[in-house]
Amino acid sequence: MAARQSLTPLLHPRSVAVIGASGDVTRIGGRALRHLVQVGFEGGIFPVNPTRIEVQGLKAWARIEDIPATPDCAIIALPTGAVLPAIQACARKGVRAAVIFSSGFAELGAEGERLQQQIVADARAHGMRLLGPNCLGAYNLHARSFLSFSGIFDDVAGTAGRLGLVSQSGGYAGEVVKSAGDVGLAFGVWITTGNEADIGLGEALGYLATSKDVDVVVGYIEGVRDPAAFYEALAAAHARRKPVIVLKVGRTDQGARAAASHTASLVGSDAVYDAVFARFGVYRARTTEEMLDVAYAASRGRFPHGKRLAILTNSGGIGVQAADFAADEQLEVAAVSPEVQRELVAISPNGAPFNPIDLTGQVANDPPMFARAIDAVLGSGEFDMAYCNVGLIAGLPFIEKPLLHGLTEAAQRFADLPIAVSVTAPDAIVNAYQEAGYLCYREPARAIKALAALAQFHAAWATPLPPRSAQGRSPRIEAGARFSEADGKALLAAIGIASPTEYLVADAAGAHDAARRINGPVAIKVVSADILHKSDVGGVALNVAPGSAADCVAAMQATVSVKSTGRIEGYLVSPMITEGVECFVGTHNDPLFGPTVTFGLGGVAVELLKDVTTRLAPVSAAEATEMIRGTRSFPLLDGFRGRRRADIPALARAISAVSHLAAVNADSVRTIEINPLRVLDEGKGAIALDAVIETRPRHPTQPPQDISSQGEQRA
């Protein structure tokens, strides 16, 4: 990847100049120099200070131009006003990368933004890369390089872990490193991006995704500026089966505003970020603890091939808790087979041999029992992973050693399966279980969540990434085109989404004739390309008796003419269709990530319950099926309480077709909405009862497009 090559001078520098170097290690320039020396950097170190001939025992240079060699990288630890001249001097010298600690740029407003742009322009003119400004720098302990003034140096010196972190917040990045150290994790590569004037989040993630020194990628995200680089990085991690775990902030409106003001980041719709993460198999953590829990599990490199979880405990209560947590994470806790149940009864006659499997307190009398149970359960091939609660007995005298010995041998026999264990014992014993190969979590909920994350990674890697562009043939829509409901339904019909037999009428008399033909309750809606939300202006009437259709249209005409100035093309008279389940399918052209597609229950429920799933468009029918199953209300479509199953394949095809239509017309369409889409019983299809299509304004040089209503019958 190009990112890896271009960031080499920053993360694998052969020599470093420290511009603003100080002998006072309490100052930023002093700390950065001390860190570089004490980490054991093997390349040349060139302090630059116009008033000193020596800094911290190293020969100093008045100007970077005076250094006889050309440094690979420069640290800029100067006041804001001195940064531009320093960057210009570095560029002329041929320095390939620079880290700018200084603040006072784009994060402070327009004037700072102009100065930042000038710095970038001068650097790019000479092929020099910039990290920052307003950042804490970076380190790569595998290269013994520490280009930061952060106080975490003393915590990481002498380590070189296999985790990599990129963070848009320098302060938070330090907190993560501290917290990771407390649980035995170490970040070998650490990048803080600051204002991202040049090197951004995506490029930094790309470096970690392709680095041979990094097994697990962790990210703190406030907002993505360069979607293409972000996609490229996540695709690279997916291709290499490398776990990516992120903490994305700005989930609420208040959080989004705070993130935007922090480092001038752009924060898009939170649901769209989730769609991006779902596309590439990224795990989104909600807390630092969860992020590190999953990183710890992923660092072991054992990923289950399915979601089948075995739960073994010596406490029935904890087993029930674990089963509840597993249900929350959509793991499968199926009962073991009768053959294995018989083995478990032989091992623990008074236990519960189902799943959760309760071995009871008898384990205290027969510690090897636990290992024999693991052998029986995991040796059956019926499970992909296991959670074991060993609890207090792990630290009891006379039990500790035989229990640990048996469980160590069991872990070795199933070295390819992740097994999480809860052990309530001194640190030395907990560490022994970790060394044996177990994932150790005190709290079962944390253990189950981590196991579920491992399963999520494997499932994502096993699924090829879908094409970024739409496949097949979808109609082209011109910007500026205006669609009434009838026009929209005609377009949907062209992509295979049916509508009911309905009539476009001009007046009350036409409505009377149409309702007579339908011969049952009807829906009547005003037809106007100028009115997107018809109900807001009194333009919708439901369950109208056939004999009342004419009066209904007359009253609607009077009401709509008062509430709207839009041109009325007529009135759509449709049969009332009440069977099936009301669903919502819509697309939105996100300004950052492009077209997305969303599915949920229809009617007002979609706004009230917000039980929806969103993905990047286009999606295949298989992805659409996952979207449908991903809603909490899926049971309503799947035969809930004796109802007939809905036609889920037809619904999936409709979602996919709409997503491709949006993707093909990404340059011209803002939104497409079908609400409701009535999903009929299995095998009977789905019917669009409404359609809204909103396009982007056309370019002033484009002639307006005339969309004529078609596909509906006229009375």
Side-chain angles (χ1 to χ4, degrees), residues 6 9 114 118 122 163 179 190 213 264 322 332 464 468 512 672:
S6 64
R114 285 191 292 272
Q118 183 62 56
D122 288 349
L163 273 64
S179 299
W190 183 86
D213 296 324
E332 301 170 13
R468 289 279 307 281
H512 173 77
I672 302 171

Side-chain angles (χ1 to χ4, degrees), residues 507-509 511-512 515 524 541 544-559:
D507 51 26
H512 173 77
I524 299 176
V544 178
S548 303
D551 292 340
C552 178
V553 166
M556 185 179 292
Q557 188 174 23
T559 300

Side-chain angles (χ1 to χ4, degrees), residues 597-599 613-615 623-631 655:
V597 60
T598 297
F599 164 76
T613 52
T614 299
R615 295 290 186 272
E623 287 180 282
T625 302
E626 292 179 5
M627 292 176 64
I628 298 165
R629 293 180 175 276
T631 59
I655 295 170

Side-chain angles (χ1 to χ4, degrees), residues 62 68 166 252 321 326 336 356 419 467 476 519 603 667:
V166 56
T252 63
Q321 290 181 49
V336 298
I419 308 175
R476 288 293 302 171
N519 193 28
D667 58 343

Side-chain angles (χ1 to χ4, degrees), residues 529-552:
D530 299 326
I531 303 173
L532 291 179
H533 302 290
K534 298 176 286 293
S535 58
D536 292 348
V537 297
V540 177
L542 304 177
N543 280 312
V544 178
S548 303
D551 292 340
C552 178

Side-chain angles (χ1 to χ4, degrees), residues 314-406:
N314 55 7
S315 165
I318 293 178
V320 173
Q321 290 181 49
D324 287 345
F325 297 140
D328 292 341
E329 300 300 327
Q330 299 182 329
L331 295 179
E332 301 170 13
V333 187
V336 298
S337 65
E339 294 79 9
V340 177
Q341 288 183 35
R342 286 192 289 271
E343 289 186 62
L344 291 171
V345 168
I347 294 168
S348 178
N350 297 321
F354 308 106
N355 193 19
I357 298 156
D358 180 12
L359 300 173
T360 75
Q362 185 63 25
V363 174
N365 292 328
D366 182 10
M369 172 193 297
F370 220 131
R372 295 199 301 273
I374 290 177
D375 284 341
V377 173
L378 295 186
S380 70
E382 297 173 13
F383 296 95
D384 304 299
M385 54 191 146
Y387 166 71
C388 303
N389 183 78
V390 179
L392 290 168
I393 64 171
L396 296 180
F398 311 111
I399 297 176
E400 168 197 334
K401 290 183 179 179
L403 181 65
L404 176 59
H405 176 74

